[in-house]
Amino acid sequence: MIRRRFAIVPRLAGRVAALALACAAATGVARAQTGPPPGGSQLPPQVRPSIMVLRGDALRAQAERPMPPMTGAQLGKLREAQTLHQNGMFDRARDQLLALSAELPHHPIVLGELAQVYLDMKNFTAAEQLAKAERKAAGDSLVLGVVLELAQERLGHTRDAVATALEVWVSTPDQAEWAASALLRLTAADTKGVLETVRRAAANSGGRADLERGLAIIEWRTGDVPAALQALAIADRSGRQPSWRWMFADELLSTGNGRDSSAAVQALVALAGDPSRVPPERTQAARRAWNLAELRNDRAAVAPLMQKALSDQPPGQWDSHVLLGVARGLREAGRTNDSRALLAVHGDDPSVVPGANLERALADLRDGPPAKALPALAAASQVSTEALFRYAEALFYAGMADSALTQYQLVVKQTQSPFTGAAFERLYLIEDADPKDALPAFGRLAYETWRGNRAAGATAESLYRDLPRGPLWAQAALLLSARREQAGDAKGALGAALAVADSLPDDRLASAARQRAGDLYRVQFKDDAKALAQYEECLARYPRAWNSAEVRRRVELMRRDKRF
């Protein structure tokens, strides 16, 4: 149907405008302006429209044509019918409204009330017939569109309901939220049909932003992130600010869900890579996407995507934080040549991109052998505590434990550094080593672990099997526990942790082993009782251990949440 235009009746304009605003704000879920009848609504809340929506559904469409006023007697009958409806006397309310409709044919307020009564009676056939008849009489696609879609949905006429929702949406853009909500519900019954229909409508709309955004939401909810981003890119051709992709990322991030935040990163990367957007917007999107990637510890996965997105811009024009971060992410992903090429644009001047020289040296370290990177890392070690720690690590990787010890001792003097704890661990490992000739093997294990090489697991297994039980063996056991967990062997990971806790109760790492056993029981085995037992044993044996505060916090949380 095509909406017909009529002259607005001046004395109705204010009332109509108010109802139009209420209808535009509605999303298709229950926001009733009048209370439900005793015993609850006859429709589930997720599909029950408010009385205001249904009245507005009819009233908005007929606002531009003359509408006779109600007499005092007619208003009284309407209020009586509403009272009957609210009190659950649906049959009497229906009869009253049918009689009033005979006096005032096609009156939108009467139609809205009657439609709601039919829906609450679960008489969806009558609601469908009413809506179809009124829409045909009015020649208007908006009249009782909500009612018709709901009735068709409840009757199982999914394709018809989809067509109705889209018909209303296409003819009346400010009904986009309601229509999108209805279509999302309908995807549960016919995902393929809904997607095909909405895609076709969006393709035939000439790039209408509201339809493309609605399509994007449906694509996203059905699991097709690339298709959702493609639809949003089309919607963004309007040039609006902020862009739909930026707003989409905002909405996803508000959920706090990991899958949603991953899609938010993809949306921002896509925005950063859109040459049709202004450079400041692209820069802002790139920086935000990269900050999220770092928070998610997802640099290696996002870096190649960001490199491709910004490939049309010379690296010299990139945000320096993004440039260095992407270079690091590429290096972590094993793409060291790409990392070096990205940083080469600024030469060796450390004032342009601070940390670039360190990153180049780390690319050399990753390529190996470790000794090859030592001169560059030694030169960079004077710049920052991180660089000093990386130099110490490279020495340890290269089998030069004594030289590494000297550098670790310098790092631990920086008590506020995020690398101090890791440096202390290396100090203890080197100082407690027995036998000392096992340290080069630990260096190789640490190097392969840093590079993300799965072969490190075999080295850990060998050390765990061959070393005598002592401080070095305890280190190997906890490393092996972590490797086994990453490989999906939760039982083996637990065995290695408990071996340290039970056989070396006086070792420096015994408290960490006990905590790790508790973590494995809680996370991998979902056995809170055994996890709590491990945590409590840790606190009883090692009340002043370095990890006691964290273990105590977990015990308190578990007791509060589970009422142990």
Side-chain angles (χ1 to χ4, degrees):
M1 301 180 189
I2 299 175
R3 297 197 62 192
R4 298 184 302 186
R5 301 295 175 184
F6 296 85
I8 297 178
V9 179
R11 66 188 180 84
L12 289 176
R15 188 176 181 189
V16 169
L19 285 172
L21 289 173
C23 190
T27 62
V29 297
R31 295 182 183 175
Q33 305 299 311
T34 58
S41 167
Q42 300 300 305
L43 278 176
Q46 66 269 26
V47 297
R48 185 177 193 271
S50 69
I51 288 286
M52 203 64 171
V53 171
L54 293 180
R55 290 177 189 164
D57 186 30
L59 183 58
R60 283 164 45 89
Q62 298 197 14
E64 299 171 353
R65 60 174 62 89
M67 181 174 64
M70 290 188 185
T71 65
Q74 290 168 338
L75 281 172
K77 292 178 182 178
L78 176 63
R79 293 193 186 102
E80 182 182 350
Q82 290 171 337
T83 301
L84 292 168
H85 181 194
Q86 291 169 15
N87 288 318
M89 301 177 185
F90 299 141
D91 290 336
R92 292 179 60 187
R94 175 202 58 202
D95 294 343
Q96 181 87 319
L97 290 166
L98 285 172
L100 189 56
S101 182
E103 298 178 29
L104 295 167
H106 313 304
H107 196 290
I109 296 179
V110 178
L111 290 176
E113 294 290 345
L114 181 57
Q116 184 66 72
V117 169
Y118 281 142
L119 292 176
D120 283 343
M121 294 175 72
K122 291 190 176 181
N123 192 345
F124 303 116
T125 300
E128 181 185 38
Q129 291 172 349
L130 174 68
K132 285 184 174 180
E134 290 298 328
R135 288 159 67 84
K136 182 177 180 181
D140 195 322
S141 61
L142 182 57
V143 171
L144 293 180
V146 174
V147 174
L148 181 58
E149 184 281 323
L150 273 173
Q152 290 168 334
E153 181 179 348
R154 301 297 286 174
L155 289 168
H157 304 160
T158 304
R159 295 289 174 100
D160 292 338
V162 170
T164 299
L166 270 174
E167 185 180 25
V168 174
W169 190 351
V170 170
S171 69
T172 315
D174 62 14
Q175 291 293 293
E177 286 193 64
W178 164 78
S181 176
L183 291 167
L184 280 172
R185 289 196 310 270
L186 291 164
T187 57
D190 185 8
T191 301
K192 182 179 179 181
V194 171
L195 277 173
E196 288 178 352
T197 306
V198 180
R199 286 170 182 165
R200 189 161 51 249
N204 294 334
S205 71
R208 237 178 68 177
D210 60 318
L211 284 169
E212 293 291 351
R213 181 173 179 268
L215 172 60
I217 293 171
I218 297 171
E219 297 277 17
W220 157 247
R221 293 288 179 85
T222 54
D224 194 339
V225 178
L229 296 182
Q230 182 181 7
L232 289 171
I234 296 172
D236 276 340
R237 291 174 185 170
S238 64
R240 65 157 288 157
Q241 292 286 349
S243 74
W244 287 117
R245 281 169 287 190
W246 184 277
M247 294 177 66
F248 181 68
D250 275 345
E251 292 170 3
L252 293 179
L253 291 171
S254 68
T255 69
N257 179 281
R259 174 178 174 269
D260 289 357
S261 64
S262 175
V265 171
Q266 293 179 59
L268 291 166
V269 170
L271 180 60
D274 188 344
S276 69
R277 309 300 290 189
V278 295
E281 181 186 27
R282 295 182 66 184
T283 299
Q284 188 178 16
R287 188 175 184 92
R288 189 182 186 198
W290 191 252
N291 287 340
L292 287 170
E294 291 184 323
L295 286 172
R296 289 171 46 82
N297 195 26
D298 202 20
R299 292 188 299 264
V302 176
L305 302 177
M306 187 69 78
Q307 181 191 30
K308 182 178 179 181
L310 300 180
S311 60
D312 66 312
Q313 294 182 330
Q317 296 179 9
W318 291 23
D319 176 273
S320 60
H321 172 74
V322 174
L323 178 67
L324 182 62
V326 171
R328 176 166 293 190
L330 290 170
R331 184 256 300 166
E332 291 172 347
R335 298 172 58 172
T336 50
N337 288 335
D338 288 344
S339 176
R340 293 188 190 93
L342 203 58
L343 294 171
V345 66
H346 289 303
D348 296 328
D349 185 355
S351 64
V352 179
V353 182
N357 289 341
L358 171 61
E359 194 51 52
R360 292 189 188 95
L362 290 174
D364 292 340
L365 178 61
R366 195 187 192 288
D367 285 345
K372 176 184 175 183
L374 290 177
L377 286 168
S381 66
Q382 308 300 315
V383 177
S384 66
T385 304
E386 180 188 4
L388 181 60
F389 175 73
R390 299 300 179 192
Y391 177 45
E393 288 282 87
L395 290 166
F396 183 61
Y397 298 158
M400 305 166 66
D402 291 339
S403 298
L405 182 66
T406 301
Q407 304 304 318
Y408 288 130
Q409 288 170 338
L410 296 176
V411 175
V412 298
K413 292 179 181 179
Q414 310 298 321
T415 56
Q416 301 302 313
S417 167
F419 303 98
T420 301
F424 266 122
E425 285 300 316
R426 293 288 194 229
L427 278 176
Y428 295 141
L429 172 65
I430 295 171
E431 291 174 346
D432 295 346
D434 184 19
K436 291 284 187 183
D437 58 8
L439 282 175
F442 272 91
R444 290 192 297 273
L445 172 60
Y447 179 53
E448 296 302 334
T449 300
W450 177 74
R451 296 177 74 202
N453 192 338
R454 294 183 179 180
T459 305
E461 291 278 2
S462 177
L463 289 169
Y464 178 72
R465 182 181 62 250
D466 298 338
L467 284 172
R469 298 211 169 190
L472 274 185
W473 176 83
Q475 289 270 4
L478 289 184
L479 287 170
L480 177 60
S481 177
R483 300 294 300 187
R484 284 176 173 176
E485 184 182 11
Q486 291 172 1
D489 182 9
K491 185 176 180 181
L494 178 63
L498 288 174
V500 175
D502 295 336
S503 64
L504 294 176
D506 297 326
D507 189 85
R508 181 181 62 84
L509 294 176
S511 65
R514 193 67 69 180
Q515 178 186 350
R516 175 154 182 76
D519 292 346
L520 287 165
Y521 274 126
R522 180 173 57 87
V523 177
Q524 298 294 338
F525 294 96
K526 312 298 182 187
D527 192 333
D528 287 349
K530 288 184 178 179
L532 186 62
Q534 292 296 325
Y535 293 147
E536 289 178 332
E537 181 74 8
C538 181
L539 292 175
R541 285 177 175 265
Y542 318 106
R544 297 183 180 179
W546 62 272
N547 61 330
S548 60
E550 174 61 20
V551 174
R552 190 171 291 107
R553 185 184 69 84
R554 294 186 188 185
V555 169
E556 291 171 354
L557 287 173
M558 291 181 71
R559 284 176 174 164
R560 184 186 66 192
D561 295 342
K562 299 292 186 180
R563 303 183 186 276
F564 283 99

